[in-house]
């Protein structure tokens, strides 16, 4: 029966990094076992202002694709990112009671006498310690001092020192496309696409520019918010998350490069929204998020200029409508990235969501065209991942205490029940309620909670066995270790220069 034929032809349609990251991953993983990939490229929507700000897992994903980090950063004008610096007021007047804090991609503190660091710090804080949580994070301190962080035995023993990237997105997409060309992938540029359906509703082929028919057994929709296959053709609805998010409009722009490239993103809040700066060696990507019911595009540009403290170039605007597809895999079509889930712009998780979709597609790739079990599991796990990301994004708005109409509206939005449970559990005793399919680590949750001033009411009783003198000694030792390690590190720019010179040798 034809329903049990092995899958050997995959067609991926999309644009820019979404398309080429997906195509390369499928071809690398499954090409050796006879799976042929065709890529249908839609016109780009990128501008020079777009910067890809990534989470740490992308580095390992790149390694699976044989992407050399030094070459990648040289070609994309890229830089490292150790986290996000949250700045209340964007350098201007304060806009609320939330202090500045750093959300790092790394470990905070080290265990004391076998007990986790956080409850030790919490108890000490209650008894007069006036040292912020971030000061015990090696990654955060290195980043804020403009240093690279090269792991050694001592830092590995201390804890995680993860990093992401900031890359010029146009250059990143072009680099990924050049890799696809070396893999022998069939590539077609498309101005117009028609979908040919089978009698059972599955997709039979895509008609490119009214002349070329591209058949496939499995179709991957990497068309972003257009959701050309999963939404427009197959009619899978988008379940809206508007009740959770007040941002519905985003400005993208470009600012000059910093004199010294910061190894972190900075989120600067203002009364009418927030502005994120993503520094690369070539330029600084600027994203300004706001609500169209509060700010006009003209007012948003003025706010973004003020937050960036320079006049912005290559300015563009687009609407955002957060939500998740009822099903990411329908029939023989799998949606990845923005086609499967549209996320709020906070924390720059779009590329990570794409990576999750591709990784789980590969892990559940069907042996034959009869793939009901794989489809059901993919839909379950991707729905769970998307909702956990949504919860982390919602926490940024639900917990903030900034002044202004935007923040009042953001704080009045609904809060998902899993997030309410997480907040309540943390307030009670400092625990991070474990949930399946989390993207952000417990340390990220603690950084966000404490950064926004949410402090637990108690700690595990076992912490009381540790004496105050022991706390004091361990805190002093940790702070001295961090200071010494940071001073050993090269500057971020110095390390990038050396790394990129090596890639051209």
């Amino acid at each position: 029966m034809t329903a049990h034929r092995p899958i050997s032809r995959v067609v991926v349609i999309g644009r820019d990094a979404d398309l080429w990251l997906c195509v390369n991953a499928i071809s690398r993983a499954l090409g050796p076992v006879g799976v042929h990939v065709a890529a249908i490229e839609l016109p780009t929507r990128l501008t020079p202002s777009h910067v890809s700000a990534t989470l740490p897992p992308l580095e390992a994903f790149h390694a699976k694709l044989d992407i050399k980090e030094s070459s990648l950063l040289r070609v994309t004008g890229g830089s490292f990112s150790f986290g996000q610096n949250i700045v209340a007021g964007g350098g201007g007047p304060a806009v609320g009671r939330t202090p500045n804090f750093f959300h790092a991609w790394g470990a905070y503190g080290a265990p004391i006498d076998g007990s986790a660091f956080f409850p030790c710090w919490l108890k000490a804080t209650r008894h007069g310690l006036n040292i912020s949580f971030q000061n015990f994070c090696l990654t955060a301190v290195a980043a804020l001092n403009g240093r690279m962080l090269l792991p050694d035995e001592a830092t590995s023993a201390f804890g995680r020192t993860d990093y992401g990237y900031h890359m010029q997105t146009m250059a990143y997409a072009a680099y990924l496309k050049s890799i696809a060309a070396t893999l022998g992938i069939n590539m077609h540029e498309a101005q117009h696409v028609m979908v040919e359906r089978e009698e059972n509703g599955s997709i039979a082929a895509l008609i490119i520019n009214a002349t070329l028919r591209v058949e496939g057994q499995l179709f991957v929709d990497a068309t972003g918010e257009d959701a050309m296959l999963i939404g427009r053709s197959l009619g899978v609805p988008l379940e809206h998350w508007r009740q959770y998010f007040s941002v519905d409009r985003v400005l993208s722009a470009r600012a000059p490069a910093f004199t010294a490239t910061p190894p972190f993103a900075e989120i600067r809040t203002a009364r009418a929204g927030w502005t994120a700066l993503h520094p690369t060696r070539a330029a600084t990507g600027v994203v300004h998020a706001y609500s169209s019911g509060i700010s006009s595009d003209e007012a948003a540009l003025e706010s973004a200029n003020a937050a960036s403290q320079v006049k912005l170039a290559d300015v563009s605007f687009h609407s955002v409508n957060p939500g998740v597809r009822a099903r990411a895999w329908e029939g023989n079509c799998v949606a990845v990235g923005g086609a499967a889930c549209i996320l709020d712009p906070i924390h720059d998780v779009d590329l990570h969501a794409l990576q999750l979709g591709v990784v789980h597609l590969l892990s559940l790739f069907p042996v034959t065209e009869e793939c009901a079990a794989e489809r059901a599991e993919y839909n379950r796990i991707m729905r769970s991942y998307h909702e956990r990301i949504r919860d982390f994004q919602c926490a940024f708005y639900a917990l903030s205490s900034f002044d202004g109409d935007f923040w009042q509206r953001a704080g009045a939005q609904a809060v998902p029940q899993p997030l309410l449970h997480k907040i309540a559990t943390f307030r009670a005793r400092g625990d991070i309620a474990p949930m399946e399919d989390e993207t952000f680590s417990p340390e990220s949750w603690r950084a966000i909670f404490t950064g926004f001033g949410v402090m637990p009411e108690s700690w595990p009783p076992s912490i009381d066995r540790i004496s105050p003198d022991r706390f004091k000694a361990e805190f002093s030792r940790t702070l001295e270790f961090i200071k010494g390690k940071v001073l050993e590190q090269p500057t971020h720019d110095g390390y990038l220069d050396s790394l990129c010179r090596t890639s051209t040798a």
Side-chain angles (χ1 to χ4, degrees):
M1 296 175 60
T2 57
H4 295 284
R5 292 181 302 172
I7 299 290
S8 61
R9 299 190 313 279
V10 177
V11 178
V12 185
I13 181 172
R15 58 172 58 86
D16 304 322
D18 282 26
L19 170 66
W20 300 117
L21 201 61
C22 184
V23 162
N24 289 343
I26 295 173
S27 183
R28 287 277 191 191
L30 301 175
V33 296
V35 175
H36 301 283
V37 181
I40 298 175
E41 182 183 19
L42 300 172
T44 184
R45 289 181 178 165
L46 296 176
T47 72
S49 67
H50 287 107
V51 168
S52 292
T54 76
L55 299 187
L58 189 64
E59 185 267 337
F61 193 54
H62 280 168
K64 294 284 188 182
L65 301 180
D66 291 333
I67 293 176
K68 188 177 180 182
E69 184 173 79
S70 57
S71 297
L72 174 72
L73 293 176
R74 176 178 56 82
V75 169
T76 63
S79 62
F80 292 95
S81 173
F82 293 112
Q84 302 165 329
N85 194 35
I86 317 298
V87 179
V95 289
R97 299 176 300 280
T98 300
N100 301 344
F101 68 94
F102 198 94
H103 168 212
W105 313 136
Y108 287 73
I112 299 177
D113 293 347
S115 295
F117 175 79
F118 179 75
C120 296
W121 173 82
L122 175 63
K123 180 180 178 180
T125 299
R126 287 289 180 83
H127 287 81
L129 179 71
N130 191 28
I131 302 175
S132 70
F133 191 43
Q134 72 184 37
N135 285 343
F136 292 95
C137 177
L138 179 58
T139 311
V141 175
L144 289 169
N145 282 276
R147 301 291 183 126
M148 192 60 197
L149 191 57
L150 306 180
D152 57 18
E153 187 175 338
T155 58
S156 298
F158 182 78
R160 292 183 304 107
T161 55
D162 291 342
Y163 60 82
Y165 305 112
H166 293 148
M167 301 177 290
Q168 297 290 309
T169 309
M170 292 180 73
Y172 179 51
Y175 184 66
L176 294 173
K177 183 177 180 178
S178 71
I179 294 174
T182 67
L183 297 176
I185 293 167
N186 292 325
M187 299 187 288
H188 310 281
E189 294 183 358
Q191 297 295 325
H192 182 264
V193 178
M194 293 182 60
V195 180
E196 181 182 312
R197 303 276 293 277
E198 296 179 355
E199 289 184 3
N200 64 5
S202 295
I203 299 172
L206 301 182
I207 312 301
I208 311 304
N209 301 329
T211 58
L212 178 65
R213 184 175 185 271
V214 181
E215 292 185 354
Q217 294 166 282
L218 187 70
F219 293 81
V220 180
D221 187 342
T223 63
E225 297 180 12
D226 289 349
M228 184 178 291
L229 302 186
I230 197 76
R232 293 183 186 178
S233 181
L234 298 183
V236 178
L238 183 73
E239 298 179 5
H240 295 284
W241 286 343
R242 176 53 57 212
Q243 69 271 31
Y244 302 124
F245 298 102
S246 57
V247 171
D248 64 0
R249 195 83 172 139
V250 173
L251 173 156
S252 298
R254 178 171 54 87
F258 284 84
T259 303
T261 312
F264 55 88
E266 187 153 286
I267 300 173
R268 299 177 175 178
T269 66
R271 298 183 65 86
W274 56 263
T275 302
L277 306 183
H278 300 137
T280 73
R281 287 175 296 134
T284 302
V286 178
V287 172
H288 179 73
Y290 57 105
S291 171
S292 62
I294 295 173
S295 297
S296 65
D297 288 351
E298 293 76 13
L301 177 57
E302 183 178 344
S303 180
N305 279 326
S308 306
Q309 300 176 357
V310 295
K311 184 175 176 61
L312 300 174
D314 296 317
V315 178
S316 62
F317 299 87
H318 73 272
S319 297
V320 59
N321 186 25
V324 64
R325 291 287 157 192
R327 296 170 299 283
W329 188 338
E330 179 81 346
N332 65 340
C333 174
V334 182
V336 296
C341 183
I342 303 170
L343 293 156
D344 187 86
I346 195 66
H347 302 310
D348 311 296
V349 289
D350 288 350
L351 204 55
H352 180 74
L354 170 73
Q355 179 184 341
L356 287 171
V358 174
V359 166
H360 287 288
L361 172 58
L362 292 176
S363 69
L364 291 166
F365 195 83
V367 176
T368 71
E369 292 177 342
E370 180 59 41
C371 54
E374 294 96 328
R375 184 166 52 236
E377 175 60 8
Y378 185 87
N379 284 331
R380 182 198 69 80
I381 198 167
M382 290 311 302
R383 178 65 173 247
S384 180
Y385 266 113
H386 289 145
E387 289 180 347
R388 298 294 75 75
I389 293 173
R390 175 206 64 193
D391 293 349
F392 192 80
Q393 292 186 310
C394 283
F396 185 87
Y397 301 107
L399 301 176
S400 64
S401 58
F402 304 117
D403 292 335
D405 291 344
F406 172 85
W407 298 103
Q408 289 179 8
R409 178 177 293 190
Q413 300 290 122
V415 179
Q417 187 58 43
L419 176 56
L420 289 173
H421 174 69
K422 227 177 185 79
I423 294 171
T425 304
F426 184 79
R427 286 189 193 277
R429 52 182 291 123
D431 290 340
I432 302 298
M435 296 186 182
E436 286 188 314
D437 312 319
E438 288 273 19
T439 283
F440 292 94
S441 70
E443 285 160 321
S444 280
W445 279 100
R446 292 188 191 100
I448 290 293
F449 282 147
T450 59
F452 282 120
V454 180
M455 296 295 284
E457 297 170 0
S458 64
W459 49 82
S462 60
I463 299 300
D464 293 331
R465 66 183 172 80
I466 305 174
S467 70
D469 286 344
R470 180 64 175 153
F471 279 151
K472 184 177 180 180
E474 281 301 301
F475 289 154
S476 296
R477 185 191 65 81
T478 296
L479 293 172
E480 283 299 315
F481 169 78
I482 290 174
K483 179 181 178 180
K485 275 298 168 188
V486 168
L487 291 175
E488 291 176 7
Q489 305 301 315
T491 65
H492 182 221
D493 280 324
Y495 182 78
L496 283 171
D497 288 342
S498 174
L499 184 69
C500 292
R501 280 197 305 270
T502 301
S503 74
T504 61

